[in-house]
Amino acid sequence: MPSAPSNESPSWFKSSYSGGNTTECVEAALLCDGTAIRDSKATERASLLFQPHSWTSFVSALQDGRLQ
């Protein structure tokens, strides 16, 4: 997967389901060409960029219980 474009300043956020003391969390940023994901504990590392259709399919699968 390509990393998020460096010319965009992403606005990173965590899920509302993420607890304050959790050690396993990812952050997401909505970009014009997709959704970027990164490890919240290693924000200096590269992020992954998902195309809009792929991200929507992934979220739908989670919501429908097809992924656990």
Side-chain angles (χ1 to χ4, degrees), residues 3 6 12 15-16 21 25 29 37-38 46-47 49 57 64 66:
S3 60
S6 59
W12 295 99
S15 167
S16 59
N21 293 330
C25 191
I37 305 296
R38 70 179 180 184
S47 58
L49 179 63
S57 295
D64 294 345
R66 291 179 277 146

Side-chain angles (χ1 to χ4, degrees), residues 20-49:
N21 293 330
T22 184
T23 59
E24 298 177 5
C25 191
V26 296
E27 295 176 327
L30 302 176
L31 306 173
C32 63
D33 56 349
T35 300
I37 305 296
R38 70 179 180 184
D39 184 340
S40 64
K41 298 179 308 302
T43 58
E44 71 285 351
R45 296 175 114 182
S47 58
L48 299 175
L49 179 63

